[in-house]
Amino acid sequence: MTKSHDIARPRTMRAAVLTGFFLLASVAGAQAQSAVSEADIVKALAPPTMGQTRSLSTSVRGDSSVNEDRGFLDSLRNRTSLTSSERTKLAAASADKPSIDLEIPFDYNSAKIGGKALPMVKSLGAALARPELKGNTFLIVGHTDGKGGDQTNQTLSERRAEAVKDYIVQNYGVPAANLVSVGYGKTQLKDSANPTASTNRRVTTINMSGVKSASRY
């Protein structure tokens, strides 16, 4: 009996150690997911003052260019899919705008907002509904990992962006016209050294109402 108990005890200890490890990993994952708060999102997406925006826009680019960008953005509202040339133009127009990259953990080959993704989507929705950001126009940009074909990933990234947009519109009262969804498939990997990493399955939010820098113009 004693020998049997001695054998069982190390197994029990190993099981306890493994259980503790997985619990710590789970807690660490939850902490990483909640590291970006609603306040962080508001701060990252806050536009400059009207005076700053006017000064940069008119002195560096001119009114005609600003109006052209605004007209282009207006043409994308309430669209669910953009052409390749529209995506390229939009990427250039949004390059210097206030933005934040959010790790919204979609499951592989899925656009469903699951339990792991929901806390971050809720934080984003609450932030976009805040008075500081009210009335601004935002891009909701979907991305995939590098596994699979180009067109499959392009469609999937569009579905992810649209899923986040729909959730925010339905639950936080942000007008649908103020959110432009776009997908870039696997063309903008966050971790290019590990194309299949889950961190590549994410959503970027960009405030198109403000100018962050004049360096690109």
Side-chain angles (χ1 to χ4, degrees), residues 2-32:
T2 302
K3 186 175 181 180
S4 176
H5 286 166
D6 288 343
I7 294 173
R9 191 174 294 115
R11 292 177 180 174
T12 302
M13 291 176 65
R14 286 196 298 271
V17 169
L18 286 173
T19 301
F21 173 79
F22 287 124
L23 284 173
L24 287 172
S26 177
V27 170
Q31 289 175 337

Side-chain angles (χ1 to χ4, degrees), residues 22-85:
F22 287 124
L23 284 173
L24 287 172
S26 177
V27 170
Q31 289 175 337
Q33 178 65 19
S34 61
V36 180
S37 67
E38 178 185 330
D40 292 329
I41 297 172
V42 171
K43 183 177 180 180
L45 296 178
T49 65
M50 290 300 293
Q52 290 174 318
T53 302
R54 176 69 180 175
S55 174
L56 284 170
S57 298
T58 56
S59 64
V60 180
R61 303 190 64 208
D63 283 334
S64 60
S65 296
V66 174
N67 291 334
E68 180 183 348
D69 281 354
R70 185 177 297 114
F72 171 61
L73 188 61
D74 287 342
S75 73
L76 305 180
R77 298 179 193 273
N78 300 314
R79 298 264 303 275
T80 58
S81 183
L82 278 62
T83 66
S84 176
S85 61

